[in-house]
Amino acid sequence: MPADPRLKLVASTPAPQGGGGQPPAPQEPALYARREPVCPSKIDGRFRRFKWAVMAFCLAVYWGTPWLRWDRGPWAPHQAVLIDLAHRRFYMFGIEIWPHEFYFVAGLLIMAGVGLFLVTSAVGRAWCGYACPQTVWTDLFQHVDRLIDGDRNAQLALDRAPWTARKTAKRLAKWAVFLGISFATGGAWIFYFADAPTLQREFWTGAAPGVAYACVAVLTFTTFWLGGFMREQVCVYMCPWPRIQSAMLDEKSLIVTYKDWRGEPRGSLKQAKRLPGAIGDCIDCKQCVAVCPTGIDIREGAQIGCITCGLCIDACDRVMGQVGRDRGLIDYCTLDDAEVERKGGAPKPLIKAIFRPRTLVYLGMWSAIGAALLFMLGERTRLDLSVARDRNPEFVQLSNGAVRDGFTIKLRNMEDRPRETVLSLEGLPDGAIYTDEMDASAAKPALRFTVPADTTQRLRVYAVVPGHAARPQPFAFHLAAAARPGEKPAEDRVKTEFSAPAAP
């Protein structure tokens, strides 16, 4: 992989030879080079417009989602998307995820990972080029650069200029805008964890929890620093994904490619007229470098700084159109198709380049996981029972000879309404149950409980078996609740053990 052209080794100028004629001792080159500012030029084209659309969509989703409302009745919050850490719930429109259902979240994370592999195998680092948060916010900050400092040449000139009142004013104005965007970024994040209108009011009146202010401060600083100053250094040095992508890409993956067999040797239009057929299509205008958000030269081949955003394609296509040459000198192309074009053949259609065995396997895995999650989501009863048996003592023998075991029962009602439930015993002949709030004489084979909406009710329950029938044996607690019209009855069953003295 070619080295980053911006990382230049600074060699010392050799000293003149001494009187003895001995050459000076070689000096070690410096291993550190100061970062060269990257100031992309403004460009218009199909990929730039697509980046505008993706950026607008991502920012709208991020900033707008916490303010969407969703009516869940009087017992649940009305925020459409909410991570309710206080009550250990995750809400997404009509879906409510409880802590014991974390496998849904795990499944979504696995889908996100497989989806990233799918996209990378099909179209290279498209995630990095269009939808990565670092890319989105850096792109937004670069537009602020152009708005305040001007286009590329004006930014470079201002960067080299001494610190005058004009430069100071421009820098302060730009950094103030950066800080405002960063504050809005951190402020929006906390609204995903509490009711947005309520938290906003508490935040500005000083009544919000301290962790909210700390979270906003940390995210404001990281957004301001990473998006405003580090920018492409995050992609080149900090992010692990450029290294991982090498395992995801192969010769059949679509990547941004400079077709060197068509562009080399480079030369101006005058040279091309003077030497017909000896000069390639690349006129060495360096517009592909000028528009690159990471400052690389795509003509040097695939490299870690390329985020596959396609802006160099827009710039090159515009120049080719202006000089009357065919577009596509820089284009999305697979290495296999590049070799075919080099030999004069025609590349495969785009649809075949994307949908190939490897990507179809990833797509099948992604779809299977999604279908499984949807199936489990549709099959859950929203009624759950958990049972923990006492271990010390395992059983108690009462004065009348009966044997009693103690259990901790949790009745979980995941509906948005109170539910009448019946807790009963299965597989325990002559057995009865009662709670620690009842008299033992009131024990029954089944008990009724009203479980409030969206609540877990904890009970201490005792199972009692007469002395003549008491023996170690398996049995089950069964919980049932009436369903709404048209729904199947909700129930849950948990198997456990009844402990008793061993038979003589």
Side-chain angles (χ1 to χ4, degrees):
M1 181 175 292
D4 190 333
R6 294 174 293 112
L7 301 179
K8 301 176 181 177
L9 297 179
V10 181
S12 301
T13 302
Q17 296 183 359
Q22 296 296 327
Q27 296 186 5
E28 290 284 340
L31 299 179
Y32 170 77
R34 183 176 179 271
R35 172 183 178 262
E36 295 293 333
V38 177
C39 306
S41 294
K42 184 178 179 181
I43 187 66
D44 184 38
R46 49 181 176 161
F47 294 105
R48 175 65 263 181
R49 289 190 289 270
F50 184 61
K51 276 181 69 70
W52 273 115
V54 173
M55 181 176 70
F57 175 77
C58 291
L59 293 176
V61 169
Y62 177 74
W63 277 319
T65 298
W67 300 95
L68 300 177
R69 301 289 95 185
W70 190 270
D71 186 8
R72 298 188 179 93
W75 296 283
H78 291 170
Q79 188 162 307
V81 177
L82 178 64
I83 304 171
D84 190 354
L85 296 179
H87 299 94
R88 296 186 295 176
R89 303 283 193 280
F90 173 60
Y91 299 94
M92 181 178 287
F93 299 96
I95 300 173
E96 178 184 356
I97 303 298
W98 286 59
H100 70 286
E101 297 177 315
F102 191 78
Y103 52 83
F104 283 111
V105 178
L108 289 175
L109 293 176
I110 294 172
M111 286 185 68
V114 175
L116 194 56
F117 295 162
L118 169 62
V119 171
T120 303
S121 297
V123 290
R125 293 175 62 189
W127 160 260
C128 298
Y130 296 97
C132 171
Q134 175 67 18
T135 296
V136 170
W137 266 265
T138 296
D139 196 20
L140 181 61
F141 284 4
Q142 286 173 341
H143 288 304
V144 175
D145 286 341
R146 282 191 283 270
L147 179 65
I148 296 177
D149 294 342
D151 204 6
R152 174 182 169 83
N153 292 335
Q155 292 178 44
L156 292 173
L158 186 64
D159 186 72
R160 292 189 295 264
W163 281 90
T164 61
R166 175 177 173 273
K167 179 174 179 177
T168 302
K170 281 182 172 289
R171 285 290 187 263
L172 291 177
K174 183 172 68 174
W175 293 343
V177 176
F178 286 175
L179 195 61
I181 295 172
S182 302
F183 179 77
T185 301
W189 179 252
I190 63 174
F191 294 147
Y192 285 88
F193 298 87
D195 182 68
T198 303
L199 182 57
Q200 184 188 47
R201 182 171 60 253
E202 293 176 347
F203 186 90
W204 292 111
T205 58
V211 68
Y213 296 102
C215 185
V216 171
V218 170
L219 288 176
T220 297
F221 171 76
T222 53
T223 305
F224 179 74
W225 189 252
L226 297 181
F229 298 94
M230 295 194 68
R231 297 190 177 178
E232 79 285 349
Q233 296 178 92
V234 175
C235 304
V236 175
Y237 303 112
M238 294 176 61
C239 180
W241 183 241
R243 282 83 182 168
I244 299 173
Q245 69 162 343
S246 59
M248 300 290 104
L249 297 174
D250 58 20
E251 295 79 1
K252 296 178 174 57
S253 301
L254 281 171
I255 58 174
V256 175
T257 304
Y258 168 66
K259 301 175 181 178
D260 57 342
W261 69 91
R262 193 186 129 186
E264 302 294 329
R266 306 168 195 170
S268 65
L269 292 176
K270 292 182 179 179
Q271 290 176 313
K273 290 180 181 179
R274 189 170 63 251
L275 303 171
I279 301 298
D281 284 349
C282 179
I283 63 173
D284 205 21
C285 62
K286 294 185 173 60
Q287 287 300 301
C288 55
V289 181
V291 301
C292 179
T294 60
I296 68 165
D297 189 342
I298 192 62
R299 297 173 297 177
E300 295 183 358
Q303 49 202 290
I304 203 169
C306 179
I307 59 173
T308 320
C309 62
L311 297 185
C312 55
I313 301 177
D314 286 338
C316 188
D317 283 352
R318 184 181 66 179
V319 172
M320 290 296 102
Q322 291 171 347
V323 300
R325 296 179 180 177
D326 292 339
R327 289 176 168 82
L329 177 60
I330 302 176
D331 203 0
Y332 270 99
C333 181
T334 70
L335 295 181
D336 282 352
D337 284 345
E339 190 61 29
V340 170
E341 286 191 51
R342 184 190 301 270
K343 296 176 181 178
K348 290 184 298 186
L350 183 63
I351 193 72
K352 289 186 177 180
I354 294 177
F355 294 101
R356 54 194 178 89
R358 183 174 180 176
T359 58
L360 291 176
V361 169
Y362 282 134
L363 181 60
M365 292 171 57
W366 186 86
S367 302
I369 296 170
L373 291 177
L374 289 175
F375 176 79
M376 291 188 294
L377 194 64
E379 288 297 309
R380 60 181 183 169
T381 62
R382 314 301 292 147
L383 184 71
D384 187 69
L385 171 67
S386 62
V387 177
R389 187 166 65 86
D390 290 353
R391 297 296 180 182
N392 188 20
E394 291 189 346
F395 63 87
V396 175
Q397 191 157 18
L398 306 179
S399 58
N400 60 1
V403 177
R404 185 191 73 187
D405 284 11
F407 300 87
T408 299
I409 304 289
K410 291 183 180 179
L411 311 180
R412 188 177 290 111
N413 175 20
M414 294 179 280
E415 289 279 1
D416 57 357
R417 60 190 173 96
R419 303 183 80 175
E420 296 291 333
T421 62
V422 177
L423 180 67
S424 59
L425 301 176
E426 290 183 349
L428 198 62
D430 302 320
I433 53 176
Y434 67 97
T435 69
D436 57 357
E437 297 178 354
M438 299 169 54
D439 189 87
S441 60
K444 300 177 181 178
L447 298 177
R448 292 183 176 273
F449 301 97
T450 299
V451 185
D454 201 45
T455 302
T456 298
Q457 185 170 329
R458 186 176 182 274
L459 301 171
R460 282 288 296 160
V461 173
Y462 301 99
V464 181
V465 176
H468 68 276
R471 65 181 187 278
Q473 58 185 309
F475 77 103
F477 282 98
H478 178 258
L479 181 67
R484 289 171 174 165
E487 295 180 348
K488 63 180 181 181
E491 61 178 354
D492 194 15
R493 183 179 288 100
V494 175
K495 295 180 180 180
T496 185
E497 297 283 337
F498 185 82
S499 295

